[in-house]
Structure formats: structure tokens, C-alpha cells
Amino acid sequence: MGLVLSLLPKLELDISPALSKPRPAVEAPAPAPVLDPKARSRRPAFSVRVTYYQALPSQTDGNPNVAACGPNLEPWVQVALSRDLFFHADGRRRCGQRVRLVFENGRELLGVVNDTMNRRYRKQVDVLVAAHEPARRYGVAEARLILE
């Protein structure tokens, strides 16, 4: 092996200039976005009156098993909105949109828009309860409706 090495030309490497050159700055990764705790409050919200209803012919349009958006959902999940809230500004319906009702006592109810109410109601939400539950027992409440 010593023989092979002696046949190769001598290479002189001067690495001192490479060490003395400043290295290009590496950009730090962008910081993760900070979640704004008030972001939830920027969602569309309305002050509404909350009532409760059962899927009975006397409380619906005559076909209690079918809502404006299709078959009824589970009780305490399905909500009906008054028509001023049910339709977007461009006329589209809010079928399937998740909503949050925040009551004055701090209690919250999460629901899904699946029905609309008679046109005489404004700024109102109806929550579907089971047929065996007395809807009147829950009364009327004021709440904040947040469109998720």
C-alpha cells in the first residue's frame, strides 16, 4: 500500500478559508399560529328565543317524521330555525350546519339544523325533544345562537 500512495501526486488542501467564511443564515421556521381565544366569538352569532317541540302532527306541518332537510334526527340534536336564520343571504338553506346555543346560565347545547319554523317566527330556535317528553316543561329561554 505504501507504494500506491507514493505514486499519487501530493495534494495540499487548505481548508482554513472555508472555515473563515461566514455561513449563510438558516431561516428559522415560521412560528406556529397562536390560536386566538376570541376566535369563537367571531363566528356569526344571534340573540334568539329558544323553545322546544315534539315530532307530532299537531306541532308540525302534518308529516312529523320528515323535516325540511330530510328525515328527523335524534331528539336534542335536531334544531329548527326561524326562516330569517334558516336561509343564507343568497337563499341557500342551512341544512346540516352545526350550531351552538349558549344559554344565559352558561349551559350549552350543540345541535344540527334540520328544519325550519312557520314564517311568523323571527329570531327563534326550536329544539326537537322526544315524543314522550313534555316540551312545555322546558319552557322558553333566551340564548346566543352561534353558527359553527
Side-chain angles (χ1 to χ4, degrees), residues 54-70:
Q54 299 162 308
L56 301 172
S58 61
Q59 296 181 33
T60 62
D61 64 357
N63 191 351
N65 298 321
V66 178
C69 300

Side-chain angles (χ1 to χ4, degrees), residues 28-138:
V34 178
L35 297 177
D36 184 3
K38 295 182 182 180
R40 182 179 285 180
S41 65
R42 291 189 191 125
R43 294 184 178 137
F46 306 91
S47 294
V48 295
R49 180 178 180 198
V50 181
T51 55
Y52 304 87
Y53 76 107
Q54 299 162 308
L56 301 172
S58 61
Q59 296 181 33
T60 62
D61 64 357
N63 191 351
N65 298 321
V66 178
C69 300
N72 282 341
L73 301 176
E74 296 291 320
W76 295 99
V77 173
Q78 175 172 311
V79 298
L81 300 181
S82 56
R83 293 176 191 228
D84 59 328
L85 300 171
F86 184 72
F87 293 100
H88 288 274
D90 62 2
R92 292 178 298 125
R93 301 184 301 170
R94 294 191 188 275
C95 293
Q97 184 168 4
R98 296 183 186 279
V99 296
R100 178 185 308 267
L101 290 168
V102 181
F103 294 89
E104 292 174 343
N105 63 3
R107 194 181 89 212
E108 292 187 0
L109 175 81
L110 300 175
V112 177
V113 176
N114 199 47
D115 207 356
T116 187
M117 301 171 67
N118 189 294
R119 67 182 75 237
R120 71 177 175 259
Y121 297 108
R122 296 279 180 265
K123 301 282 187 227
Q124 189 162 332
V125 177
D126 241 358
V127 178
L128 178 68
V129 297
H132 66 276
E133 291 182 87
R136 286 188 179 186
R137 179 178 76 185
Y138 303 113

